[in-house]
């Protein structure tokens, strides 16, 4: 039996949305508009209104090969005929095994064990729980806090929030709920800047003061994303890895945004040539098709957890290892490996830099920077989303700035002409917006 229904009209969608639907970081009292999308193909979003927008956001870092990459959607459809889902407790399947083999092979050497989950925030929760259980297993249950970086972002669940920047993460709202973690300054040495040991002063101090209660350092290697689009020196990551080893701390690398080539290396850790003890993946894992995340760890971490009381790792989501999502991820990774991704990323980096540089002369623009396939225009003042969002749409592009940051991370398939249209629109909108 098939279920037929007629789709809602655009007006009905908008009415229901305004009355009932929460959006990310949204308010029912807000003037910031939402736009109904009918379909998407390649780098284009097609709105109900008939407009077509070039997508500069890759739906928050996720659509690697563009929307509706047929290899992925076909594989999902085929998998759905065979096995859409099955519980992962006591059962296993080929899509999970194949994906795990890919992830172990692709990730930095030494990451051998894979925990599949549903979203980035959950992958971070799992990483933190692994670190806590690791020290518990070693008879040091007091080592249960995280050392996190200011301006970091690790997700929206309570545990993940506790390691986000205390100011932008609005910790004051959840003061008595969030675990009090330890924070160190944002790494001040920029990506291309000359490295100096003095950049470690604060983190060394924090470690010295707190190592008895610290389980791990958690950081986004090289690119702090949502917390400020800050590109910092790989030397910092390398030095923190050494500090962790010297001070009995685990290192958790949150590669949820940076993974799968975005910064020019397959994983941002590779800029520093290190293997973290635990690594989180998400966002583009399935090429922007299904929700899936993974937490990888070393044998040392896994063996320690499993050799002590309670003898198991304490986590197990209902949709763990979902076969449709694993299939999507496998095809996504194969597509990436079969593409010329390194040269594609450097092509995008060049195009982003050339295209965005004209903004730099604007007095209200503070900085223009790029790394890999990430382009950022940082304004002097936070932008008014209610005003600037419709301007981007009028100019045929989809962007979602936050605070002072107008940033883009196009799908790797974006062609030079499309990128030019995107960056020109960004420059034009900034020109108009700042002239008002
Ligand atoms: C997006 C993001 C997360 C959270 O992932 P969700 O899938 O939104 O829960 C965690 N860490 C980093 C670095 C991210 O960019």
């Amino acid at each position: 039996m098939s279920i037929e229904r007629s789709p809602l009209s655009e007006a009905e969608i908008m009415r229901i949305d305004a009355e009932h639907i929460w959006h990310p970081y949204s308010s029912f009292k807000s003037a910031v508009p939402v736009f109904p999308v009918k379909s998407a193909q390649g780098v284009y979003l097609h709105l109900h209104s008939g407009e077509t927008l070039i997508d500069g956001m890759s739906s928050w870092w996720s659509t690697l090969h563009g929307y509706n990459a047929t290899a992925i959607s076909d594989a999902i459809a085929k998998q759905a005929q065979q096995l859409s889902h099955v519980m992962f407790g006591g059962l296993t399947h080929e899509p999970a095994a194949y994906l795990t083999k890919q992830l172990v092979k692709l990730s930095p050497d030494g990451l051998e064990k894979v925990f599949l989950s549903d979203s980035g925030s959950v992958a971070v929760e799992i990483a933190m729980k692994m670190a806590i259980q690791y020290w518990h297993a070693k008879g040091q249950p007091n080592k249960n806090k995280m050392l996190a970086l200011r301006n970091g972002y690790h997700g929206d669940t309570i545990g993940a929030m506790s390691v986000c920047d205390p100011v932008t993460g609005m910790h004051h709202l959840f003061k008595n709920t969030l675990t009090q973690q330890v924070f160190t300054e944002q790494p001040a040495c920029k990506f291309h800047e000359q490295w100096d040991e003095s950049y470690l002063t604060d983190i060394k101090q924090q470690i010295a003061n707190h190592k008895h209660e610290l389980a791990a350092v958690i950081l986004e290697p090289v690119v702090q994303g949502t917390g400020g689009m800050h590109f910092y020196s790989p030397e910092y990551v390398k030095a923190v890895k050494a500090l962790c080893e010297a001070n009995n701390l685990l290192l958790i690398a949150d590669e949820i945004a940076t993974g799968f080539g975005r910064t020019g290396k397959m994983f941002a850790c590779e800029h520093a040539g290190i293997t973290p003890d635990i690594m989180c993946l998400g966002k583009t894992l399935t090429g922007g098709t299904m929700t899936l995340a993974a937490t990888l760890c070393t044998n040392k971490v896994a063996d320690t957890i499993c050799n002590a009381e309670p003898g198991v790792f304490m986590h197990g989501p209902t949709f763990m290892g979902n076969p449709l999502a694993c299939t999507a991820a496998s095809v996504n990774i194969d597509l990436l490996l079969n593409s010329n991704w390194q040269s594609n990323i450097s092509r995008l980096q060049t195009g982003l830099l050339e295209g965005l540089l004209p903004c730099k002369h604007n007095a209200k623009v503070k900085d223009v920077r790029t790394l890999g396939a990430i382009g950022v225009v940082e304004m002097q003042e936070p932008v008014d989303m209610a005003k600037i969002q419709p301007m981007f749409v009028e100019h045929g592009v989809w962007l979602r700035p936050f605070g002072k940051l107008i940033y883009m991370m196009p799908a790797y398939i974006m062609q030079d002409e499309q990128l030019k249209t995107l960056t020109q629109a960004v420059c034009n909108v900034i020109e108009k917006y700042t002239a008002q």
Side-chain angles (χ1 to χ4, degrees):
M1 187 186 83
S2 70
I3 307 278
E4 300 283 340
R5 67 169 176 84
S6 49
L8 299 172
S9 69
E10 183 181 351
E12 283 172 300
I13 298 169
M14 296 312 281
R15 184 189 60 75
I16 295 168
D17 189 282
E19 230 169 272
H20 301 290
I21 303 182
W22 288 109
H23 285 266
Y25 292 91
S26 71
S27 161
F28 284 99
K29 309 280 176 205
S30 143
V32 181
V34 295
F35 300 86
V37 181
K38 194 159 197 176
S39 65
Q41 189 69 42
V43 299
Y44 296 108
L45 300 178
H46 302 293
L47 304 186
H48 274 262
S49 58
E51 284 160 296
T52 290
L53 309 179
I54 294 188
D55 175 28
M57 299 301 290
S58 294
S59 283
W60 280 330
W61 317 79
S62 67
T63 54
L64 214 61
H65 312 291
Y67 295 97
N68 253 325
T70 44
I72 304 178
S73 26
D74 289 353
I76 294 173
K78 200 167 152 213
Q79 181 61 40
Q81 306 282 325
Q82 195 172 329
L83 180 67
S84 287
H85 185 62
V86 69
M87 61 186 281
F88 216 48
L91 298 170
T92 192
H93 46 75
E94 198 272 348
Y98 186 81
L99 172 63
T100 299
K101 188 176 144 194
Q102 286 175 311
L103 291 177
V104 169
K105 178 153 180 244
L106 207 57
S107 60
D109 282 347
L111 295 169
E112 296 282 335
K113 303 288 196 267
V114 179
F115 195 108
L116 297 167
S117 63
D118 316 337
S119 75
S121 301
V122 174
V124 168
E125 300 280 336
I126 289 163
M128 290 166 58
K129 284 172 73 173
M130 278 179 180
I132 291 165
Q133 262 198 257
Y134 175 86
W135 291 109
H136 188 272
K138 285 177 96 66
Q140 300 185 61
N142 291 337
K143 283 171 74 68
N144 62 1
K145 291 202 171 189
M146 304 293 143
L147 174 58
L149 276 47
R150 290 199 182 266
N151 293 307
Y153 178 77
H154 298 287
D156 288 353
T157 51
I158 298 263
M161 271 183 82
S162 75
V163 288
C164 292
D165 183 80
V167 179
T168 55
M170 303 246 163
H171 282 193
H172 70 275
L173 284 175
F174 303 92
K175 205 163 50 207
N176 299 320
T177 311
L178 295 182
T179 306
Q180 294 282 310
Q181 310 287 11
V182 180
F183 286 89
T184 184
E185 286 167 3
Q186 173 178 58
C189 187
K190 295 196 184 124
F191 187 81
H192 289 293
E193 253 171 16
Q194 180 73 35
W195 171 252
D196 186 293
E197 288 285 309
S198 66
Y199 286 114
L200 296 173
T201 309
D202 188 61
I203 190 167
K204 279 183 176 164
Q205 190 65 53
Q206 299 301 338
I207 290 176
N209 292 348
H210 296 281
K211 63 182 177 183
H212 61 283
E213 56 172 351
L214 287 176
V217 174
I218 181 166
L219 51 75
E220 298 152 275
V222 180
V223 173
Q224 286 190 304
T226 309
M229 302 303 289
H230 175 57
F231 308 150
Y232 67 91
S233 173
E235 293 296 327
Y236 181 91
V237 180
K238 206 158 144 186
V240 170
K241 170 70 183 166
L243 284 173
C244 285
E245 273 173 15
N247 290 282
N248 271 337
L249 301 175
L250 297 178
L251 177 62
I252 302 171
D254 179 349
E255 295 244 13
I256 290 166
T258 51
F260 301 102
R262 184 56 69 179
T263 68
K265 302 276 187 192
M266 185 54 79
F267 298 103
C269 280
E270 293 174 22
H271 289 285
I274 60 123
T275 298
D277 300 284
I278 301 173
M279 183 164 98
C280 302
L281 299 174
K283 287 211 161 88
T284 198
L285 182 54
T286 65
T289 56
M290 311 263 315
T291 177
L292 184 71
T295 308
L296 282 65
C297 74
T298 60
N299 281 336
K300 182 181 87 169
V301 170
D303 290 347
T304 305
I305 290 171
C306 301
N307 284 335
E309 185 275 326
V312 294
F313 178 57
M314 293 295 290
H315 207 90
T318 306
F319 282 93
M320 184 168 180
N322 175 260
L324 294 177
C326 289
T327 299
S330 292
V331 178
N332 177 48
I333 292 170
D334 279 336
L335 279 176
L336 180 65
L337 296 177
N338 290 331
S339 72
N340 215 340
W341 63 270
Q342 286 102 331
S343 61
N344 233 347
I345 301 285
S346 54
R347 172 183 68 82
L348 290 168
Q349 172 156 11
T350 308
L352 284 165
L353 194 59
E354 280 173 7
L356 295 176
L357 267 184
C359 302
K360 215 166 184 171
H361 71 86
N362 188 317
K364 298 195 171 139
V365 169
K366 188 171 170 202
D367 188 31
V368 173
R369 55 184 177 270
T370 61
L371 179 67
I374 312 168
V376 182
V377 180
E378 182 171 347
M379 308 297 290
Q380 303 280 7
E381 302 292 331
V383 297
D384 177 352
M385 186 93 90
K387 212 155 102 187
I388 204 167
Q389 183 92 81
M391 291 174 76
F392 284 123
V393 172
E394 274 162 35
H395 283 72
V397 299
W398 180 249
L399 286 177
R400 183 82 177 162
F402 66 81
K404 299 173 184 170
L405 301 163
I406 296 167
Y407 66 110
M408 57 223 78
M409 50 285 192
Y412 299 174
I413 57 154
M414 188 174 282
Q415 298 303 303
D416 292 340
E417 276 309 304
Q418 297 166 326
L419 187 61
K420 215 175 245 173
T421 310
L422 174 69
T423 53
Q424 256 164 20
V426 171
C427 294
N428 291 342
V429 167
I430 289 176
E431 214 45 55
K432 267 196 198 164
Y433 176 82
T434 56
Q436 285 175 350

